[in-house]
Amino acid sequence: MVVLKTVQEIEKMKLAGKISARALKLAGEMVEPGISTEKIDEAVSKYIKSQGAASSTLGYSGFPKSCCISVNNQIIHGIPSNSCILKSGDIVSIDISANIGGYHGDNAYTFACGDISENARKLINATKESLQKAISVAKVGNRLGDVGNTVEEYVKERGYSVVRDFVGHGVGTSLHEDPSVPNYGKPGHGLRLREGMTIAIEPMVNEGTSEFITLDDGWTIITADKKLSAHFEHTVAITSSGPLILTDPT
Ligand code: MG
């Protein structure tokens, strides 16, 4: 069931979004050669707590950390650890969700560590742009198929594939609510967007195949061909005056 939010509820979600976005910004500023993903997670955890909020990923179905950090061929759900030391050339997808006052925010960004290859840069830029394009069509009256198709077409034109088995989602009093928000679809098809819907749009874009493998840790999702993957996400409210990004750090 899709839960529509009131203007007052969206105001509460702005705070959860802001804390999630500021934590993500802080995490991104720490990305540099030689740091462990554990260290970044520790800082994220500390920051979220300092704001009176809680990480939505910590303990989610048993997930052990306060954020997901997925490096290079890891698509999503990478577990921060002391043994994962970043090096120059890595691309680092960090996904952070925080909740406060009963509402969640959810956002992700792929950061460059040191000097990255031209191919990696292009993948990151295309993924980031596909999210911006998708947000721009997340308007009252359009459909989820318009949003998903926008991502899919944009990245396919550049030779990439979208992950189909993992999708965006509604966000609100739960981290994951209806509806599912796929990164593919047919224009003019799917659920019609209505005022008060709050959704996480999150393109996961692969350099090669869209197929994936789950690592033995039970969480980390990697590309089946070991090529790179990038991930960007915002929590967006559908309002009468257009899409409103709730995961805004400012
Ligand atoms: Mg999400």
Side-chain angles (χ1 to χ4, degrees), residues 77-97:
H77 301 165
I79 305 173
S81 83
N82 281 316
S83 60
C84 181
I85 310 290
L86 299 180
K87 58 186 192 308
S88 184
D90 285 344
I91 68 169
V92 185
S93 300
I94 305 182
D95 190 346
I96 299 183
S97 317

Side-chain angles (χ1 to χ4, degrees), residues 167-230:
V167 295
H169 49 90
V171 187
T173 54
S174 298
L175 177 59
H176 295 121
E177 294 184 346
D178 286 338
S180 289
V181 182
N183 296 302
Y184 55 88
K186 281 189 193 156
H189 285 70
L191 186 71
R192 197 179 284 282
L193 297 175
R194 293 173 62 193
E195 188 177 352
M197 285 174 66
T198 47
I199 55 174
I201 307 175
E202 52 175 319
M204 291 153 257
V205 177
N206 294 352
E207 205 179 11
T209 179
S210 63
E211 300 297 311
F212 71 94
I213 296 167
T214 308
L215 294 187
D216 289 342
D217 62 21
W219 281 104
T220 314
I221 306 296
I222 69 166
T223 56
D225 58 10
K226 311 287 168 68
K227 290 188 176 177
L228 297 175
S229 185

